[in-house]
Amino acid sequence: MDREELLGATPEDSEAPKKKQESPLISLEKDLAFYADAIKEVAIEIMIEGISSYPIFVAHQHEVKLGEIILNKEELNTDWTIQASTLEEFVEKGIINKDKQEQFLKVYKKPENFMCVFVIVPEGANFIYYPYKKV
């Protein structure tokens, strides 16, 4: 899935005046850019402490019982809360089927360069990979 698809843009949208509500993923992109340094720090901590080699961050706007809150939208005056989790927790809770774990690992991007984000919106949930800023 490419970026335009994730942001809900279609070729017709670019020429039509903006009448419909902006995709929540536009605000997510803004928050992820804002949160990037903190998320990368937590990802590195998860790996260094041996908790997991596969950190996954959960982005949501409601209450979610998955992982631990690291960035609270209420406290930070942002649109999205971010929780830290791991591949192991996703398998344990059945979000990633044990049979699909190898397939997931084939597409999992280097956590040093990308944050793996499980985005939860009312319409459903999906994984995205958001790059950290180049230093």
Side-chain angles (χ1 to χ4, degrees):
M1 187 173 269
D2 63 18
R3 190 172 176 182
E4 286 75 26
E5 241 181 323
L6 284 172
L7 295 175
T10 62
E12 302 83 55
D13 289 344
S14 57
E15 296 167 27
K18 296 272 185 205
K19 289 181 186 172
K20 62 182 180 178
Q21 187 178 353
E22 194 175 76
S23 166
L25 295 179
I26 291 171
S27 68
L28 175 61
E29 185 172 23
K30 187 180 92 183
D31 283 1
L32 289 179
F34 177 69
Y35 290 154
D37 291 341
I39 290 174
K40 187 172 189 175
E41 199 174 296
V42 172
I44 290 168
E45 222 173 275
I46 288 170
M47 293 183 292
I48 287 175
E49 290 182 12
I51 297 167
S52 177
S53 298
Y54 306 100
I56 298 174
F57 296 92
V58 182
H60 60 89
Q61 295 179 313
H62 306 289
E63 193 176 318
V64 173
K65 292 179 185 341
L66 185 62
E68 293 182 29
I69 293 179
I70 58 167
L71 299 159
N72 188 325
K73 69 184 180 102
E74 307 301 327
E75 293 172 9
L76 297 167
N77 198 26
T78 54
D79 293 322
W80 294 83
T81 292
I82 306 294
Q83 295 186 201
S85 183
T86 62
L87 169 63
E88 292 78 3
E89 182 181 12
F90 271 64
V91 170
E92 181 185 303
K93 294 200 172 186
I95 298 165
I96 295 174
N97 191 317
K98 197 161 186 59
D99 301 343
K100 304 284 185 190
Q101 186 172 343
E102 277 305 311
Q103 190 177 342
F104 178 82
L105 290 175
K106 285 179 184 171
V107 297
Y108 187 88
K109 295 187 179 193
K110 288 184 89 173
E112 297 85 357
N113 301 330
F114 293 87
M115 60 182 89
C116 175
V117 184
F118 187 63
V119 182
I120 302 172
V121 292
E123 297 79 28
N126 209 343
F127 288 96
I128 63 166
Y129 290 90
Y130 190 81
Y132 294 114
K133 293 176 266 187
K134 300 274 189 233
V135 181

